[in-house]
């Protein structure tokens, strides 16, 4: 029933960008790019992989000890804060509320007030720079850890989740639990066996290359045909040279699965790294050095390897030149092309498509009449020409390089060290201090994430949170629909259809039910063999397993209850073909949500996240899908034109923002910016409705903030972060989300409610006078 959850984990970075819309970029191991559009995950996102997951916590008990120590310091800090409140700087803010209003002095209120106060920069006028005002203290207290290119609230929560999972995997006996959970432990332990991995060295991958037909880089290529190597590298081992193939819901017939093909094939995170050679000279040099080092570690001699790897890099540059930028792929209707395999063969004849797809989806029987959805027909036509015009030895080197880059992280320390050198140039990271266990937790999450999620949920998730979250979603949905009635630019027919779509949005919270049923969980991973002694083989087995699971879905309808994020993930997403929103257990914790926090903070945190995902149903891409999840026109022309005019305002607004003199791409980030703005408005209106029903809340001590102001501060502090200049550049060219600073400044400067509650004068940076508003 739920086996496709596994396939979606593996397929994640192969699915096109528009298929999911997430709260934050869902980043994979650095370097994460395969050149294809990674899911807009698709990303909560944060970096999860070698060299990036550093934690100060080794176990859950350590976390508890830290919290005990923090409690004492918080109490001291609070007492100081109360004394100094009268002289706190509140430039540009309205008078403080009537002190006769009651103040919350519970332990939870004291702790969260202290944490908020620590993060603030009270020397900054909130009407000048609300991000600095809200996050200046946090930034000062959070220097970038070694081995990290970015550090944020999301990273911090993920580190805590990892520490919990480590404790569970290393201390549980699994005597009465599922076989899937035992597989999870065996996989994790195989990753921890560094001595065994070092003993094997490069041998496992070298043997695999020989099995496929050899590599011209090492002089072992036995002239195996191009198609045979492509089928092995891509079909069996799930690498994505030239293109990516997967099975998923048909955008125009969301109740059926279909084969889908999209552009892919680049190792660096974006085509920009290949084509803008002047700006990325150091990255390209470091990438070539990395290619050469891995080639020599696998048996190549230095000079011939450098010559041939330069040819591979030149070939990738040609691929980059025909790859369509993500900012130009935002109209789903335009990039959707349904055809038969026979028609695909005529479009891109360099590939024997029936042979390839029959192999990749074995044991299914396919005919050349089988329908396929192609995203980027022009790209596939051009890549076919490129293949025909390229020497077969270069194609062999490129194909095997795709396999090498996908599997090398499972080899010995020499390969990890080579990767770290590339990361330092690409992302600005310094030598990683990541403990091995943390890398192995991430690998286990990527492979057996739902079985690991079973352990995580049973140990940590408060079941009452699910009911509370469902109630909040209902309140935010209601607030969004009230806003629809107030839109003067939308005609009545389109408005009614929009309400029906909002009503039909399907929400999934915490975790999928099957993970708590041992039999169902075991069925999901049935057929996946895991040994405690061979980490590399476990990884290969998973690629084979996920390919079979994917093929098994083609003749079945999509499962509405299937998840494509694991429960422990610190993220959320909207899937247009299901018209569904998902909030994993991993994000249902502070600072996003806590049962004992003021409602102002919960609405400003997880409430905005919920509003964000709900609004994705009506962003520039989500709005193309109807309430059933089908890609079809349902807007009246007058409303569509008005919508485009309003989104143009937002494209222009965010396009003016810069990071290190480099502009934000207002078109690439449009969908996420619409969701940020709509999510904030819906959550704030829902909070006001809650206050009307329940009355005013007690204020937090020491802050001097009304609860309305607290809502906006809570929203802003979710996005406090620091990152290297190199990582900032990577985000600007690849991420569909705006930089964290502008997710705060851009959204709040469009909010009339924010301007009112902070008393920002007209013409100030946070109240420029022009408010871009869509929903």
């Amino acid at each position: 029933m739920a086996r496709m959850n596994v396939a979606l984990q593996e397929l994640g970075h192969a699915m096109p960008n528009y298929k999911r819309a997430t709260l934050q970029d869902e980043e994979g191991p650095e370097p994460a790019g395969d050149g294809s559009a990674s899911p807009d995950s698709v990303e909560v996102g944060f970096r999860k992989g070698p060299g990036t997951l550093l934690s100060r916590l080794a176990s859950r008990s350590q976390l508890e000890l830290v919290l005990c120590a923090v409690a004492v310091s918080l109490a001291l800090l609070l007492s100081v804060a109360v004394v100094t409140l009268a002289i706190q700087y509140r430039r540009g803010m309205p008078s403080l509320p009537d002190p006769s209003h009651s103040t919350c002095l519970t332990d939870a209120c004291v702790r969260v007030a202290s944490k908020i106060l620590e993060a603030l920069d009270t020397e900054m006028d909130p009407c000048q720079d609300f991000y600095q005002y809200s996050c200046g203290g946090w930034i000062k207290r959070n220097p970038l850890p070694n081995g990290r290119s970015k550090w944020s609230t999301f990273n911090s929560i993920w580190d805590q989740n990892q520490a919990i999972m480590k404790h569970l995997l290393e201390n549980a006996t699994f005597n009465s639990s599922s076989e899937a959970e035992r597989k999870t432990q065996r996989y994790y332990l195989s990753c921890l066996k560094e001595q065994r991995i070092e003993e094997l060295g490069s041998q496992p991958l070298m043997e695999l290359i020989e099995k496929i037909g050899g590599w011209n880089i090492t002089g072992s290529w036995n002239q195996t045909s191009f198609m045979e190597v492509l089928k092995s590298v891509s079909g069996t081992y799930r690498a994505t040279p030239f293109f990516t193939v997967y099975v998923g819901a048909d955008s125009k017939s969301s109740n059926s699965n279909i084969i889908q093909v999209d552009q892919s094939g680049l190792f660096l995170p974006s085509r920009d790294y290949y084509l803008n050679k002047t700006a990325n000279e150091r990255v390209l040099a470091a990438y070539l050095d990395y290619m050469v080092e891995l080639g020599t570690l696998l048996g190549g001699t230095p000079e011939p390897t450098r010559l041939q790897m330069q040819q591979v890099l030149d070939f990738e540059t040609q691929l980059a030149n025909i790859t369509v930028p993500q900012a130009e792929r935002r109209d789903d209707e335009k990039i959707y092309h349904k055809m038969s395999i026979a028609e695909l063969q005529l479009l891109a004849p360099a590939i024997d498509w029936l042979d390839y797809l029959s192999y990749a989806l074995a044991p299914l029987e396919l005919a050349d009449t089988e329908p396929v959805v192609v995203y980027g027909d022009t790209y596939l036509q051009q890549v076919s020409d490129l293949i025909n015009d390229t020497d077969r030895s270069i194609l062999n080197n490129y194909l095997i390089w795709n396999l090498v880059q996908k599997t090398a992280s499972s080899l010995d320390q020499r390969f990890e060290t080579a990767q770290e050198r590339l990361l330092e140039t690409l992302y600005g990271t310094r030598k990683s201090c990541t403990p091995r266990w943390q890398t192995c937790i991430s690998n286990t999450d990527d492979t057996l994430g739902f079985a690991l999620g079973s352990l995580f949920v049973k140990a940590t998730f408060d079941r009452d949170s699910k009911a509370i979250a469902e109630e909040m979603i209902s309140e935010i949905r209601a607030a969004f629909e009230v806003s629809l009635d107030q839109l003067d630019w939308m005609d009545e027919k389109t408005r009614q259809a929009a309400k029906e779509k909002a009503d039909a949005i399907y929400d999934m919270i915490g975790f999928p039910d099957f993970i708590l049923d041992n039999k169902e969980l075991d069925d999901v991973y049935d057929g996946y063999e895991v040994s405690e002694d061979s980490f590399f083989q476990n990884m290969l087995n998973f690629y084979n397993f996920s390919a079979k699971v994917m093929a098994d879905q083609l003749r079945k309808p999509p499962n509405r209850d299937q998840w494509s994020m694991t429960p422990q993930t610190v993220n959320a997403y909207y899937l247009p073909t299901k018209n569904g929103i998902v909030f994993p257990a991993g994000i249902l914790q502070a600072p996003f949500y806590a049962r004992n926090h003021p409602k102002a903070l919960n609405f400003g945190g997880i409430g905005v996240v919920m509003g964000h995902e709900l609004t994705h149903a009506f962003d520039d891409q989500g709005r193309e899908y109807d309430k059933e999840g089908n890609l079809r026109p349902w807007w009246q022309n007058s409303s569509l034109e008005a919508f485009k005019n309003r989104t143009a305002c937002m494209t222009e607004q965010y396009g003016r923002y810069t990071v290190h003199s480099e502009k934000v791409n207002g078109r690439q980030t449009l969908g996420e910016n619409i969701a940020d703005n709509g999510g904030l408005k819906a959550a704030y209106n829902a909070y006001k409705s809650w206050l009307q029903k329940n009355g005013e809340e007690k204020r937090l001590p020491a802050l001097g903030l009304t609860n309305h102001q607290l809502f906006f501060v809570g929203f802003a502090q979710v996005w406090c972060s620091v990152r290297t200049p190199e990582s900032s550049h990577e985000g600007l060219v690849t991420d569909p989300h705006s930089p964290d600073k502008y997710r705060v400044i851009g959204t709040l400067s469009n909010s009339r409610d924010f301007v009112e509650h902070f008393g920002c004068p007209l013409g100030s940076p946070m109240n420029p006078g022009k408010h871009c508003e869509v929903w």
Side-chain angles (χ1 to χ4, degrees), residues 358-667:
S358 295
Y359 180 91
L361 298 172
L364 290 182
E365 295 287 336
L366 300 179
D368 60 8
T369 55
E370 182 79 30
V372 178
V373 172
V374 171
Y375 299 99
D377 54 345
T378 302
Y379 168 84
L380 284 181
Q381 187 176 44
Q382 291 177 325
V383 87
S384 178
D385 293 339
L386 181 59
I387 290 170
N388 283 331
D389 293 340
T390 302
D391 186 271
R392 295 294 152 175
S393 66
I394 296 176
L395 293 178
N396 170 263
N397 285 340
Y398 169 73
L399 285 171
I400 301 299
W401 171 239
N402 271 260
L403 178 66
V404 168
Q405 62 183 254
K406 185 175 181 67
T407 57
S409 61
S410 300
L411 298 175
D412 63 82
Q413 181 63 45
R414 297 172 300 166
F415 291 86
E416 185 175 336
T417 300
Q419 186 185 57
E420 286 177 354
R421 281 193 283 269
L422 175 59
L423 298 184
E424 183 172 349
T425 303
L426 186 57
Y427 294 102
T429 57
R430 298 298 174 257
K431 183 171 175 58
S432 171
C433 299
T434 307
R436 179 69 182 180
W437 70 263
Q438 208 161 27
T439 298
C440 292
I441 289 291
S442 283
N443 288 334
T444 307
D445 181 49
D446 290 340
T447 304
L448 290 130
F450 288 97
L452 184 58
S454 174
L455 298 171
F456 179 81
V457 164
K458 286 185 284 192
T460 67
F461 190 60
D462 179 358
R463 304 305 167 82
D464 291 339
S465 297
K466 189 167 186 174
I468 295 170
E470 286 172 346
E471 183 180 353
M472 285 187 70
I473 290 172
S474 178
E475 292 168 330
I476 289 164
R477 191 196 319 260
F480 182 86
E481 292 185 19
V482 168
S483 293
L484 286 178
D485 281 329
Q486 299 168 351
L487 298 178
D488 58 8
W489 55 268
M490 180 172 273
D491 70 276
E492 286 306 315
K493 185 175 180 179
T494 305
R495 190 194 320 274
Q496 184 58 37
K499 284 184 177 181
E500 290 175 3
K501 182 175 183 180
D503 279 335
I505 290 175
Y506 186 59
D507 56 82
M508 295 184 283
I509 298 167
F511 57 91
D513 291 338
F514 80 89
I515 68 171
L516 299 186
D517 184 305
N518 285 351
K519 184 181 183 306
E520 289 194 37
L521 185 61
D522 288 347
D523 286 346
V524 166
Y525 294 99
D526 183 38
Y528 176 40
E529 299 297 325
V530 181
S531 164
E532 194 175 314
D533 296 319
S534 181
F535 178 52
F536 189 86
Q537 190 60 47
N538 288 339
M539 177 197 63
L540 295 187
N541 289 349
F542 182 71
Y543 296 149
N544 279 273
F545 172 69
S546 63
K548 292 174 183 175
V549 172
M550 178 185 71
D552 189 49
Q553 302 307 307
L554 184 58
R555 302 294 184 232
K556 297 177 180 177
N559 177 2
R560 195 183 193 194
D561 293 318
Q562 138 202 327
W563 287 46
S564 52
M565 274 183 187
T566 61
Q568 55 272 24
T569 303
V570 190
N571 203 350
Y573 69 91
Y574 170 75
L575 191 64
T577 54
K578 289 184 183 178
N579 195 26
I581 49 181
V582 177
F583 305 97
I587 200 170
L588 295 174
Q589 53 187 313
F592 295 97
Y593 165 80
R595 291 182 66 184
N596 54 12
H597 281 183
K599 285 289 184 178
L601 284 180
N602 284 340
F603 275 100
I606 197 66
V608 175
V609 172
M610 292 170 174
H612 173 102
E613 300 307 338
L614 187 149
T615 306
H616 267 309
F618 304 93
D619 70 15
D620 62 314
Q621 292 176 295
R623 66 137 201 101
E624 294 187 289
Y625 294 78
D626 66 15
K627 65 180 181 180
E628 304 295 336
N630 292 311
L631 180 62
R632 70 168 184 85
W634 56 274
W635 288 58
Q636 298 297 299
N637 288 337
S638 61
S639 293
L640 182 56
E641 287 305 309
F643 174 86
K644 289 180 177 179
N645 288 336
R646 287 172 174 270
T647 58
C649 175
M650 218 164 265
T651 300
E652 180 185 358
Q653 173 196 0
Y654 284 84
R656 291 195 299 267
Y657 297 138
T658 61
V659 179
H660 304 300
S661 301
E662 188 174 3
K663 286 189 174 183
V664 173
N665 187 328
R667 188 176 176 189

Side-chain angles (χ1 to χ4, degrees), residues 280-416:
N280 296 293
E281 182 179 2
R282 288 181 63 249
V283 169
L284 290 170
Y287 177 39
L288 180 59
D289 288 344
Y290 176 68
M291 299 169 79
V292 173
E293 185 166 3
L294 264 58
T296 54
L297 286 173
L298 292 166
T301 52
E303 286 309 312
T305 298
R306 181 167 291 276
L307 175 63
Q308 292 184 76
M309 284 302 196
Q310 181 64 60
Q311 292 175 329
V312 173
L313 179 53
D314 292 342
F315 182 77
E316 285 190 26
T317 302
Q318 290 178 283
L319 274 179
N321 198 47
I322 62 175
T323 298
V324 182
Q326 289 310 305
E328 297 177 17
R329 286 164 49 92
R330 297 200 61 83
D331 190 331
D332 296 357
E333 186 70 47
K334 286 184 178 179
I335 68 173
Y336 176 102
H337 302 281
K338 194 171 188 175
M339 61 186 72
S340 66
I341 291 178
E343 290 170 321
L344 176 58
Q345 188 64 49
L346 293 174
L347 176 70
I351 308 294
D352 185 336
W353 287 100
L354 183 58
D355 180 36
Y356 172 81
L357 292 172
S358 295
Y359 180 91
L361 298 172
L364 290 182
E365 295 287 336
L366 300 179
D368 60 8
T369 55
E370 182 79 30
V372 178
V373 172
V374 171
Y375 299 99
D377 54 345
T378 302
Y379 168 84
L380 284 181
Q381 187 176 44
Q382 291 177 325
V383 87
S384 178
D385 293 339
L386 181 59
I387 290 170
N388 283 331
D389 293 340
T390 302
D391 186 271
R392 295 294 152 175
S393 66
I394 296 176
L395 293 178
N396 170 263
N397 285 340
Y398 169 73
L399 285 171
I400 301 299
W401 171 239
N402 271 260
L403 178 66
V404 168
Q405 62 183 254
K406 185 175 181 67
T407 57
S409 61
S410 300
L411 298 175
D412 63 82
Q413 181 63 45
R414 297 172 300 166
F415 291 86
E416 185 175 336

Side-chain angles (χ1 to χ4, degrees), residues 48-180:
K48 299 195 302 181
T52 61
L53 292 173
L54 176 65
S55 175
R56 298 185 181 90
L57 306 174
S59 70
R60 199 173 181 185
S61 59
Q62 283 180 309
L63 177 61
E64 291 164 354
L65 288 172
V66 171
L67 289 176
C68 288
V70 168
V72 176
S73 61
L74 290 180
L76 291 173
L77 179 63
L78 178 61
S79 62
V80 173
V82 171
V83 172
T84 60
L85 176 60
I87 58 172
Q88 281 187 354
Y89 190 43
R90 287 287 183 270
R91 187 171 52 192
M93 293 171 60
S95 300
L96 294 181
D98 183 350
S100 65
H101 282 271
S102 59
T103 300
C104 178
L105 293 175
T106 65
D107 286 348
C109 286
V110 169
R111 288 169 186 264
V112 73
S114 179
K115 195 171 185 66
I116 290 170
L117 188 60
E118 268 195 337
L120 292 174
D121 174 5
T122 55
E123 294 300 311
M124 171 56 66
D125 182 346
C127 294
Q128 291 294 311
D129 184 342
F130 197 76
Y131 185 76
Q132 178 63 29
Y133 166 76
S134 297
C135 294
W138 186 95
I139 293 169
K140 183 177 180 181
R141 291 173 174 83
N142 285 273
L144 198 63
N146 286 337
R148 304 295 184 112
S149 60
K150 181 178 180 180
W151 182 251
S152 68
T153 300
F154 294 87
N155 298 105
S156 179
I157 298 173
W158 175 243
D159 275 14
Q160 293 176 40
N161 289 355
Q162 282 190 306
I164 292 168
M165 290 184 281
K166 173 184 186 292
H167 177 82
L168 294 171
L169 286 172
E170 293 181 2
N171 292 279
T173 59
F174 301 123
N175 289 330
S176 61
S177 39
S178 74
E179 173 61 17

